[in-house]
Amino acid sequence: MENRAHLLRHDASHRDGKRPGGGNILVWDGDAVSLLATAGALHHAGHRCVCAKQPGAVWQSLDLGLPDLAVFDVGRDANLALDVLTKLRQRDDLQRIPAILLAESSWAGLEYKAEKMTVATRCLFRPIDPQTLIDLVDSLLWMPALVSNHRRRGTQPSNHRWITLDC
C-alpha cells in the first residue's frame, strides 16, 4: 500500500475546449516537483497522466490501464530508466510503446542510445520548454502505432485529426 501513495492520476477534463481524445501517458520522475510539473503540462494539453515516483510504481500504474506513451525522467541513473523502459516493452501489450526520456545536459549521448532502440524513443534535455514537450508527445501519439493500440483495445480514436482510409 505504501507504493500506491506514489501513484497519482491526472484525468484531463475537456470542458475548457481543449482537444478531446488525448493520450494516456505514464510519467515517471523521482522528483515530486518535476513529476507534477511535467504531468501538469501534459494534463493542461488534454492528456491523461498516471504519475509514478519510483520504479515499482511504474509497474503498479499498469493496473490503472495501459499507457499510449511513457515519459521518463532519467534523473541520476539513465541506465535504470533505459532498463525499466526495456522491461516495459517486453510485455506483449506494450512492445510498441513510444517513449520520451527527459535528462540533464550531462547525459549528452543518451539520444544515440535512444535512436538505436527499435521503438520510437526521443530525448529532451533541460531546460525543457513545456510546449516542446507537448509537441513531441503529440507527434509520438498520433502516429500509426496508436492505431494498432486502438485496434487491440477495440476502441476508436477520438482525435479530430484522424481519418479512416478503407483500402
Side-chain angles (χ1 to χ4, degrees):
M1 190 66 172
E2 185 175 304
N3 280 340
R4 288 265 184 228
H6 298 287
L7 285 175
L8 179 62
R9 185 177 185 127
H10 287 274
D11 285 320
S13 68
H14 301 289
R15 286 175 257 156
D16 56 2
K18 298 212 183 329
R19 73 160 192 272
N24 296 316
I25 302 174
L26 169 59
V27 182
W28 171 35
D29 190 333
D31 179 84
V33 174
S34 176
L35 175 67
L36 292 176
T38 301
L42 296 171
H43 170 83
H44 183 73
H47 299 290
R48 290 168 302 282
C49 297
V50 175
C51 302
K53 191 170 179 286
Q54 298 176 354
V58 168
W59 305 113
Q60 286 181 332
S61 73
L62 301 178
D63 294 339
L64 300 173
L66 294 178
D68 298 314
L69 176 93
V71 176
F72 289 179
D73 188 308
V74 302
R76 295 184 180 146
D77 194 347
N79 290 327
L80 176 61
L82 291 170
D83 185 50
V84 171
L85 181 59
T86 299
K87 287 179 181 171
L88 195 65
R89 287 177 172 164
Q90 288 174 351
R91 286 180 47 131
D92 288 339
D93 50 0
L94 293 172
Q95 289 178 348
R96 306 292 307 161
I97 186 172
I100 299 172
L101 301 175
L102 307 178
E104 297 292 335
S105 59
S106 61
W107 287 109
L110 182 63
E111 69 273 21
Y112 299 115
K113 288 183 179 181
E115 286 175 8
K116 291 179 183 176
M117 296 182 138
T118 57
V119 181
T121 307
R122 304 293 181 260
C123 292
L124 284 179
F125 294 97
R126 286 194 174 79
I128 296 170
D129 172 53
Q131 190 58 52
T132 301
L133 174 63
I134 292 165
D135 290 344
L136 185 56
V137 165
D138 286 344
S139 71
L140 288 171
L141 279 178
W142 310 122
M143 63 183 193
L146 191 58
V147 174
S148 64
N149 289 345
H150 281 288
R151 285 186 183 140
R152 185 184 72 246
R153 290 187 202 141
T155 61
Q156 291 286 325
S158 57
N159 187 297
H160 68 276
R161 292 182 279 177
W162 283 85
I163 58 171
T164 301
L165 300 177
D166 293 322
C167 299

